[in-house]
Amino acid sequence: MEDHESDFEPRIITSAGNADVKLLRSLHERKFRRKSGWFLAEGVRICTEAVQLGHAPVRLVYAEDRHSDPFLVPLIEACRDAGGRTLAVSEDLLVRISRKDNPQTVIGAFEQNFISLEQIVPKGVWVALDRVRDPGNLGTIMRTADAVGAHGIILIDECTDPYSLEAVRASMGAIFNVQIAQTNQAGFLDFARSFDGQLIGTALPASEDYRLANWQAPLILLMGNEQAGLPETLMQACDQLVRMPMMGRSDSLNLAVSTGVALYEYLRHQPAKSGGSPE
Ligand code: SAM
């Protein structure tokens, strides 16, 4: 018999040598996420949102004493219905899998889902990030993109992994609701030339105030790397290049903050429905 539960009286896994436990622990490393195509998301709230959006976990790990928790039962069922495996584990194993002293009581492993540039529909707003390095920034940007109804994120060149636990945590579940594409600079430039909409870059050297820009959709908002900003080649490809005024001593805004400011400026320029979201 395999070392996993088969019904609602779960067999409790306590061994760190269990194959599923080993695989789940390996998902903290990018090379194993790449190899398996899976990633981890923690917590009942995020796992429930994932399921509601049609992403059933391929593995669902939970604290042994929670198997009849009413919030957990639908997750267990969704996982099993989709052919996944559920594992009731000891507290000690949850700590090992999450690598946190106070782990969430539920951890799901989900399939990664990258789209290709050809699948990008020129509608609304997309966010392109050049060599984003910080997983907290990327997660916060996914969360903000989701908040304004952006369709997705385009990652250019070597970026931090959107499916790292840090980025997923910071996205607060938005990882399941924004599409993600990856490309290199040449691929992005080709794509941007054929994109039926405008490309708006943000950069410190820009002369146009972001409040005076034309934010007509469809558009791609292009943001630069945390240290180096946007390279000349990407700036030159932009239809508009805008800056946010810096009135104090700092010379730039944090990447995620400036993306949020720009995205809400975009939203402010869209025809609002009664709920405040764009048409
Ligand atoms: N030293 C970098 C530079 O020279 O661009 C600072 C990069 S900033 C931390 C990261 C990105 O956030 C920038 O490339 C730009 O896209 C955006 N950004 C931050 N502050 C901005 C501002 N005041 N105006 C326009 N874009 C800004």
Side-chain angles (χ1 to χ4, degrees), residues 19 50 96 114 143:
R96 279 167 172 258
F114 286 105
R143 182 179 180 182

Side-chain angles (χ1 to χ4, degrees), residues 117 185-199 220 222 234 237-239:
L117 293 179
Q185 193 186 103
F188 178 74
L189 288 170
D190 268 358
F191 166 75
R193 268 190 287 275
S194 63
F195 181 75
D196 194 9
Q198 49 167 342
L199 178 61
I220 301 170
L222 175 60
L234 287 179
C238 291
D239 300 300

Side-chain angles (χ1 to χ4, degrees), residues 137 201-206 210 222-230 242-246 251-259:
N137 276 344
T202 66
L204 302 180
Y210 78 110
L222 175 60
M223 307 296 301
N225 165 268
E226 288 98 332
Q227 273 76 45
L230 283 177
V242 301
R243 72 176 160 76
M244 289 139 213
M246 301 295 302
D251 62 356
S252 68
L253 295 170
N254 161 275
L255 170 63
V257 169
S258 54
T259 307

Side-chain angles (χ1 to χ4, degrees), residues 131-201:
R131 297 163 298 155
V132 55
R133 286 289 144 81
D134 184 280
N137 276 344
L138 178 51
T140 305
I141 291 169
M142 291 193 274
R143 182 179 180 182
T144 313
D146 178 51
V148 301
H151 293 285
I153 311 280
I154 304 166
L155 299 172
I156 306 169
D157 283 341
E158 194 53 43
C159 287
T160 191
D161 185 359
Y163 289 109
S164 69
L165 199 50
E166 295 82 355
V168 172
R169 268 180 202 145
S171 85
M172 296 292 287
I175 186 88
F176 293 105
N177 205 36
V178 291
Q179 303 184 75
I180 304 169
Q182 318 183 83
T183 186
N184 56 23
Q185 193 186 103
F188 178 74
L189 288 170
D190 268 358
F191 166 75
R193 268 190 287 275
S194 63
F195 181 75
D196 194 9
Q198 49 167 342
L199 178 61
I200 302 185

